[in-house]
Amino acid sequence: MLRLAILAYPGAMQSAVLGLQDVLGFAAQACGAVLEVDVLTDFSARHAAYDAVILPPSSDEVRVDAVPDLPGFLKERHAAGSVICSACTGLTFVCAAGLTGGRAVTSHWGLEQRLKAAYPEVDLDTGQLLIEYTDLITAGGLMAWVDLALALIERFLGYSVAADTARHFIVEFRRRDQRRFRRFLPDLRHGDKAVLKAQHFLESGFADAVTVEDMAVASGLPGRSFLRRFKAGSGLTPKAYLQELRIERARDLLIETEKGVAEICYAVGYNDPPSFVRLFTRLSGLTPGAFRVQYRHKEPDVAS
């Protein structure tokens, strides 16, 4: 069963709250998935485990002090393995919870100065419509909740279900295309909190010179226990997991930027471009150059 929570904080757009329920509900019904969506207004109470929690936009300015329990709720859910999602103003609460981890995030361009003043440490890229990580998805403008919903549908129910949903509602599915037929979306709901700490550590620090010992320290486990439990929880060895994470980010950079292959190699944590090319080719089935040529400009036609 897929379980999601929509956080109807004070001022959240009801059209987005209801629209998310409609779009997600249609997708689940279309593929026969069991979906439970909770609309939450009380963030001090204990809640069930969720695969994802969603912060819809607000048409007004949001104030964190008006919902003091919400940042703590987000931290708790994130620590339990939920994917944290925001659209537009919802990013304010993500920043207040300290969940960006130094990574680029997006929101409405009109909020840029306000968010940068309140959270100067946050890397805000309002030129992007959607920025997706394993544990965090942020979307731009007031109507970007639609793109966020499609990203969640693709992640949990598959590309074809997301494309069919976009077709049914006659909305564009440009950002979420099938250009990466092999994606790395590791499980965060395995229930091992120590392993999850290591996964979150890698999400924000994958480009650094990370060692297995660093991962073990982040998890709070001794070395041998860490190796055993990380493999059991994630399905991969720590080294293989880090490789997959770095190559996934390299795929993003090849599609979304003009950076050269060597520059991308260094950006994702490798120092040897030829070795990086070999690893990328092994994990993706194409060289970085061929990957960029083949997938960068392909857009699915949802109108046909």
Side-chain angles (χ1 to χ4, degrees):
M1 181 180 76
L2 177 62
R3 191 164 197 178
L4 308 177
I6 299 173
L7 310 188
Y9 58 87
M13 286 174 54
Q14 287 302 300
S15 58
V17 173
L18 296 173
L20 282 162
Q21 293 179 78
D22 287 341
V23 172
L24 294 167
F26 172 85
Q29 186 176 25
C31 68
V34 178
L35 170 68
E36 184 173 325
V37 179
D38 293 342
V39 178
L40 306 182
T41 57
D42 181 1
F43 309 111
S44 61
R46 293 185 64 85
H47 295 285
Y50 295 106
D51 294 286
V53 297
I54 307 168
L55 289 151
S58 170
S59 57
D60 299 317
E61 181 179 352
V62 298
R63 292 176 48 200
V64 175
D65 58 4
V67 202
D69 295 321
L70 186 46
F73 172 85
L74 293 176
K75 289 181 183 178
E76 179 185 302
R77 291 297 93 213
H78 183 258
S82 298
V83 180
I84 307 301
C85 311
S86 70
C88 192
T89 50
L91 179 67
T92 303
F93 298 106
V94 176
C95 294
L99 299 180
T100 63
R103 298 168 292 181
V105 290
T106 191
S107 183
H108 192 290
W109 60 266
L111 298 174
E112 187 167 8
Q113 291 186 350
R114 187 185 309 157
L115 285 170
K116 284 186 174 180
Y119 307 100
E121 75 284 359
V122 172
D123 182 3
L124 192 60
D125 183 359
T126 57
Q128 297 292 326
L129 175 65
L130 191 82
I131 299 178
E132 181 177 3
Y133 303 102
T134 300
D135 61 327
L136 177 67
I137 307 175
T138 59
L142 284 169
M143 293 304 294
W145 63 264
V146 177
D147 303 274
L148 177 57
L150 292 173
L152 285 170
I153 293 166
E154 183 198 13
R155 175 177 292 212
F156 291 115
L157 302 178
Y159 168 83
S160 61
V161 179
D164 288 344
T165 302
R167 186 178 296 111
H168 176 80
F169 287 96
I170 317 178
V171 294
E172 291 186 347
F173 193 41
R174 295 183 185 276
R175 172 62 177 84
R176 313 301 311 159
D177 61 35
Q178 200 168 219
R179 57 198 171 188
R180 291 177 291 169
F181 33 50
R182 184 184 187 279
R183 300 194 63 194
F184 180 58
L185 294 172
D187 180 23
L188 300 179
R189 293 294 311 282
H190 43 68
D192 191 325
K193 291 185 177 181
V195 171
L196 185 60
K197 286 181 181 179
Q199 289 177 284
H200 286 159
F201 167 73
L202 290 173
E203 277 292 325
S204 58
F206 68 88
D208 299 330
V210 180
T211 66
V212 174
E213 289 74 19
D214 295 330
M215 300 181 210
V217 169
S219 74
L221 295 171
R224 288 186 178 180
S225 294
F226 170 71
L227 291 172
R228 175 177 53 80
R229 287 171 58 174
F230 191 93
K231 178 68 180 294
S234 72
L236 294 168
T237 66
K239 180 180 178 181
Y241 188 99
L242 180 58
Q243 287 179 335
E244 292 278 9
L245 201 59
R246 285 172 166 174
I247 295 303
E248 176 69 7
R249 182 54 181 154
R251 295 186 190 108
D252 287 340
L253 292 173
L254 284 165
I255 292 169
E256 297 168 3
T257 75
E258 300 295 336
K259 294 180 184 291
V261 172
E263 191 176 0
I264 290 173
C265 164
Y266 302 133
V268 300
Y270 291 113
N271 296 315
D272 183 354
S275 295
F276 164 74
V277 170
R278 287 193 294 271
L279 177 62
F280 186 98
T281 304
R282 178 169 64 83
L283 294 181
S284 301
L286 293 168
T287 65
F291 181 91
R292 171 174 271 167
V293 169
Q294 184 165 348
Y295 295 107
R296 183 167 187 175
H297 301 295
K298 288 192 174 182
E299 303 285 357
D301 181 6
V302 300
S304 60

